[in-house]
Amino acid sequence: MENNDYKNKKPSKDNRPEFPAKAVITGGMPYGNKELHFGHVGGVFVFADTYARFLRDRIGKDNVIFVSGTDCYGSPIAESYRAKVAAGEFDGSIEDFVRKNHESQKKTLDDYNISLNLFGASALGDAAKHHAKVSEELIKRLYDNGQLEKITTSQFFDEKAGVFLNGRQVVGKCPVDGCQSDKAYADECSLGHQYMPSSLIDPKSTLTGETPVMKDVVNWYFRLTDYTKLLTEYVEEIKRQPNVRQLVSKTIGEFLEPPVIHIKKELMEDYEQIKDKLAPHTIENEEKKPSFTICFETLDARDKACEVLAQGGIRFRTGKTLVPFRLTGNIEWGVKAPNIEDLKDLTVWVWPESLWAPISFTVAYLESQGKSIEEWKDYWCSKNARVYQFIGSDNIYFYGVAQTAMFAALQSGEITCDIPDGELQQSTLVANHHILFLDKKASSSGDIKPPMAADLLNYYTAEQLRMHWLSLGLGRGSVSFQPKPYNPAAKPEDNDPVVKEGFLLSNVYNRVIRSCFYCAQKYFDGKMPVGEPDAEVIADSEKAILEYERFMYKFEFHQVTYVLDSYIRKSNKIWAKNMTEADKTDNAELRRQTLINVFHYVRTAAVLLHPLAPVGTEMVREYLGFGEDFWSWDNIFEGMEYFCKGETEHPLKFLEPRVDFFTRHPSQFAEK
């Protein structure tokens, strides 16, 4: 389905990227224990929404479903709820707790014009009903396909409190080599690295502060370690796709290394004393590195070596590699797992069920529209469809490694990278780098707290923030968000970097649109003259459309904003130059043709801006007096005359003085 041939050629009408017949867009699910901070919206949801809106215009809104929802289950929510109840900060059930946060999250997304078809919640309403069923069916299918195994592991137990500890009730240091996470939990650190609980360094119970002991528990695990070859082939495949970021393939590839252990060189003598107790291994000792590496053939051999090293008091860190992917646990607050064999009354671990939650939300949305819930397969299981999942870089392991392998494992026939039509297709992952806050990585659970997304709207309009975040280039690398009202180092005379892109709309584009309307009202009785734009105008517009389309296909949103900036500023220059000349010489024909030309720029810019700044552009369409087909890319190269259907003049909605299509936030006027 992907068109790889166009990428080395210049865009033209005969050389354009291909898009699917149907599409699902997902945004990473926020945990149900908090409100949304700016990173949720500015790092993921704005990008997902922009692409969803673009695809609705590009392939038809009835062919696009945009879903996400609150991630209600799991230890982060259970622990937050416990702590708030204990502190007297919340009174109610855990379901009440997640509902309160879900409603807050939904309001914030609405305030940012995030156009989700469904923002569900994995534990609430109809979405929860479908999610429970989907979870049961997928786990049973994995079991029937022979892809699950029972593994006995040691789980942390707080002897003082007399309870097993869930994942977030244990905090220690991440054992994965090179990890800089400031918080590591039972089997996952805050940067998404996975490890066996016994590998966690210096664990402490968050309930009592005591060092917990380990007790054996049995759970179902997905055989992720069997998928090294398939994932290696998958990485090579997505490397060739022009719309998959290098960040995705590189990060997945990092988890395909053989099982290794890293030990500081100063502990070499200690290692020498116990090395004969370890399974056969090789050693790598590069001169410039502070650690030496011991390499094993199997994960089991590495894990047994970890036990020997731990018993010998030798500090070590494990490398990134594939480990069995846990599917179940014994936390009470979770989706009920199917009872299989002798394992009863388990719940599904939060990460696997959150990976297939978008399927549940798709089903719930279709049902809400009176459609057959079986239609979800038209979006998730057809080679003519595509699922685009917008995530942060920390979650590539789950979506790129675990999900890819599980989706392959769900096939009814031979398991290969090339999933046949009718089976659950692989997703296209769109992963952003970190959006920093004042040059620091901010986290709700860290020392540097990010501003809440809702609070930013006290200083900026939603469209100003949308335009700014899209321009940052998060697909290329981590970028800092520097809002002046939150920056203690900012001086009163400093410009606010957040408003630059928004001012393109509220100043330049707004001025062009208003000028066209006021000119039509003054000289043409409030009607737009209809005619053929100059060849240069048509050529400019076609070039902008084709460049924009290619950048959208590749998710290069910062490049999209550059195309729009250049195109809109050119229309402003043409207006200023030609209308000055027309007024000076009282040249009515020049005035008329300039109006035809610049209205063509206004029309094209509105369509291209529609996914980025939907409120202002919808107002433009309303005042122009056209229908919804104005946005359709079936008509993208058409000018105003196409929509006027034989008219020589087209009546416009009257524009009152000082009415703006794109505005600044009131606080920005107060500063002037």
Side-chain angles (χ1 to χ4, degrees):
M1 187 186 71
E2 306 293 352
N3 178 6
N4 296 332
D5 296 332
Y6 84 94
K7 62 182 179 179
N8 295 320
K9 303 174 184 177
K10 290 184 178 180
S12 70
K13 285 186 175 182
D14 298 323
N15 182 35
R16 298 169 62 187
E18 296 175 6
F19 293 90
K22 292 182 180 292
V24 173
I25 292 84
T26 77
M29 294 170 63
Y31 278 133
N33 61 344
K34 65 187 77 173
E35 298 178 5
L36 299 183
H37 62 67
F38 86 95
H40 292 121
V41 181
V44 175
F45 274 105
V46 162
F47 296 86
D49 180 68
T50 298
Y51 200 70
R53 289 178 180 274
F54 164 70
L55 280 185
R56 288 179 185 133
D57 293 345
R58 184 67 179 76
I59 66 174
K61 65 180 182 179
D62 292 338
N63 298 317
V64 178
I65 298 177
F66 179 21
V67 293
S68 184
T70 303
D71 197 353
C72 298
Y73 292 116
S75 57
I77 288 86
E79 175 60 12
S80 293
Y81 170 70
R82 183 202 64 79
K84 286 190 177 294
V85 170
E89 297 175 4
F90 188 80
D91 182 20
S93 68
I94 192 169
E95 186 173 324
D96 295 333
F97 179 65
V98 296
R99 178 176 282 106
K100 174 178 176 291
N101 289 315
H102 167 70
E103 290 173 353
S104 171
Q105 292 172 358
K106 186 177 186 306
K107 183 182 184 307
T108 296
L109 294 172
D110 288 343
D111 289 343
Y112 276 90
N113 305 312
I114 307 301
S115 60
L116 287 148
N117 292 99
L118 178 74
F119 185 68
S122 55
L124 305 174
D126 289 340
K129 173 188 70 175
H130 291 296
H131 190 48
K133 184 177 180 181
V134 169
S135 298
E136 180 177 9
E137 289 179 354
L138 293 186
I139 290 175
K140 283 184 174 179
R141 185 164 181 177
L142 288 171
Y143 174 79
D144 291 341
N145 287 359
Q147 302 303 312
L148 302 188
E149 60 181 327
K150 284 186 284 189
I151 296 181
T152 300
T153 60
S154 295
Q155 183 171 335
F156 289 107
F157 184 83
D158 188 323
E159 292 184 306
K160 185 174 182 179
V163 295
F164 279 104
L165 300 175
N166 65 47
R168 292 300 174 103
Q169 291 174 335
V170 184
V171 179
K173 297 178 182 178
C174 179
V176 174
D177 185 58
C179 179
Q180 300 299 314
S181 170
D182 57 354
K183 285 192 177 181
Y185 304 104
D187 54 6
E188 172 197 359
C189 79
S190 61
L191 294 182
H193 297 142
Q194 300 285 294
Y195 40 82
M196 301 308 284
S198 58
S199 299
L200 183 66
I201 298 171
D202 194 22
K204 298 293 181 185
S205 167
T206 62
L207 300 184
T208 63
E210 299 291 318
T211 299
V213 299
M214 306 298 289
K215 287 192 175 184
D216 286 349
V217 292
V218 183
N219 277 293
W220 287 112
Y221 283 73
F222 169 64
R223 298 178 183 274
L224 184 58
T225 54
D226 294 348
Y227 285 82
T228 301
K229 181 175 182 294
L230 181 141
L231 288 167
T232 301
E233 293 172 354
Y234 177 73
V235 167
E236 292 305 310
E237 178 183 309
I238 62 176
K239 279 181 180 179
R240 297 189 293 269
Q241 295 178 6
N243 64 339
V244 177
R245 292 171 176 166
Q246 184 182 16
L247 172 65
V248 175
S249 57
K250 178 178 181 294
T251 303
I252 296 174
E254 290 174 353
F255 288 95
L256 305 180
E257 298 298 321
V260 299
I261 296 174
H262 304 280
I263 304 173
K264 293 288 186 181
K265 288 183 176 179
E266 57 261 31
L267 299 177
M268 176 65 81
E269 289 186 8
D270 296 330
Y271 156 76
E272 291 286 347
Q273 293 178 13
I274 57 92
K275 68 178 183 179
D276 292 339
K277 298 180 181 180
L278 308 182
H281 59 275
T282 59
I283 185 169
E284 297 176 359
N285 193 359
E286 296 184 26
E287 184 177 346
K288 294 182 180 180
K289 291 186 176 181
S291 301
F292 63 94
T293 302
I294 49 178
C295 310
F296 297 89
E297 291 186 0
T298 67
L299 179 65
D300 184 60
R302 189 204 70 174
D303 288 344
K304 289 179 180 177
C306 289
E307 294 177 8
V308 173
L309 292 169
Q311 291 168 3
I314 300 174
R315 295 287 297 272
F316 63 89
R317 286 185 180 265
T318 54
K320 295 180 183 179
T321 193
L322 297 182
V323 298
F325 188 61
R326 181 160 63 94
L327 289 186
T328 64
N330 57 9
I331 181 174
E332 183 178 350
W333 179 243
V335 178
K336 301 303 180 186
N339 293 329
I340 302 175
E341 295 185 5
D342 59 337
L343 296 187
K344 313 291 185 182
D345 301 321
L346 299 177
T347 52
V348 185
W349 185 42
V350 64
W351 259 112
E353 53 98 348
S354 69
L355 294 176
W356 56 67
I359 299 176
S360 310
F361 295 155
T362 303
V363 172
Y365 170 69
L366 290 169
E367 183 182 59
S368 74
Q369 300 301 299
K371 298 181 179 180
S372 168
I373 60 175
E374 290 301 311
E375 284 189 36
W376 76 269
K377 295 177 183 177
D378 296 340
Y379 292 86
W380 287 85
C381 301
S382 169
K383 282 187 172 291
N384 292 323
R386 179 66 62 184
V387 176
Y388 302 94
Q389 299 195 277
F390 287 74
I391 60 174
S393 59
D394 288 352
N395 293 334
I396 293 175
Y397 170 82
F398 297 104
Y399 289 89
V401 177
Q403 177 180 282
T404 299
M406 283 198 299
F407 279 16
L410 287 164
Q411 295 180 50
S412 57
E414 182 183 356
I415 296 173
T416 66
C417 269
D418 185 19
I419 298 178
D421 197 53
E423 300 279 7
L424 194 58
Q425 301 292 306
Q426 300 292 2
S427 303
T428 296
L429 301 183
V430 188
N432 276 343
H433 290 266
H434 296 298
I435 181 168
L436 307 176
F437 176 57
L438 303 179
D439 295 323
K440 305 285 186 180
K441 186 180 178 184
S443 167
S444 300
S445 59
D447 295 331
I448 301 172
K449 304 298 182 184
M452 293 295 102
D455 293 341
L456 287 171
L457 296 176
N458 293 324
Y459 303 97
Y460 307 99
T461 69
E463 294 199 335
Q464 284 180 322
L465 289 163
R466 287 172 65 104
M467 291 293 293
H468 178 65
W469 286 327
L470 289 166
S471 75
L472 290 179
L474 290 174
R476 298 180 300 174
S478 297
V479 183
S480 184
F481 179 53
Q482 303 267 1
K484 184 178 178 182
Y486 289 84
N487 188 354
K491 299 176 182 178
E493 65 272 18
D494 290 345
N495 292 325
D496 189 337
V498 175
V499 299
K500 176 185 173 185
E501 295 78 18
F503 280 179
L504 171 71
L505 305 186
S506 62
N507 291 3
V508 184
Y509 188 43
N510 199 58
R511 181 167 57 246
V512 171
I513 303 167
R514 284 159 47 105
S515 296
C516 286
F517 272 83
Y518 292 146
C519 179
Q521 289 170 187
K522 181 176 181 179
Y523 293 102
F524 296 91
D525 194 28
K527 297 176 181 177
M528 177 183 68
V530 179
E532 181 76 13
D534 291 342
E536 179 187 359
V537 175
I538 294 174
D540 282 345
S541 301
E542 289 185 358
K543 180 175 181 291
I545 290 166
L546 292 167
E547 288 180 343
Y548 170 104
E549 181 184 46
R550 176 168 293 193
F551 289 135
M552 272 292 192
Y553 174 77
K554 297 167 68 176
F555 313 109
E556 294 180 356
F557 298 100
H558 64 291
Q559 297 282 24
V560 166
T561 64
Y562 297 160
V563 170
L564 287 165
D565 185 279
S566 175
Y567 184 73
I568 290 169
R569 291 187 187 281
K570 183 162 188 179
S571 71
N572 185 56
K573 290 177 182 178
I574 289 175
W575 178 269
K577 177 187 175 195
N578 289 352
M579 278 306 184
T580 298
E581 178 66 21
D583 291 342
K584 185 185 297 183
T585 60
D586 195 24
N587 187 331
E589 182 54 34
L590 177 59
R591 183 179 294 114
R592 180 180 185 277
Q593 188 60 36
T594 300
L595 204 54
I596 290 171
N597 287 340
V598 178
F599 262 125
H600 189 88
Y601 280 107
V602 167
R603 134 79 183 167
T604 303
V607 177
L608 301 187
L609 272 169
H610 188 225
L612 291 75
V615 175
T617 50
E618 284 288 356
M619 184 177 172
V620 173
R621 181 188 64 81
E622 175 194 346
Y623 272 76
L624 287 172
F626 296 125
E628 287 291 331
D629 62 338
F630 186 78
W631 305 125
S632 173
W633 275 61
D634 292 343
N635 315 316
I636 189 62
F637 295 107
E638 303 292 350
M640 294 294 199
E641 66 275 17
Y642 174 84
F643 299 96
C644 293
K645 304 186 186 309
E647 297 174 320
T648 57
E649 293 179 327
H650 175 73
L652 303 168
K653 182 176 178 179
F654 185 78
L655 184 65
E656 298 284 351
R658 295 182 296 278
V659 171
D660 291 310
F661 295 88
F662 302 91
T663 63
R664 290 185 281 168
H665 192 274
S667 67
Q668 295 161 15
F669 291 101
E671 293 178 1
K672 298 299 180 183

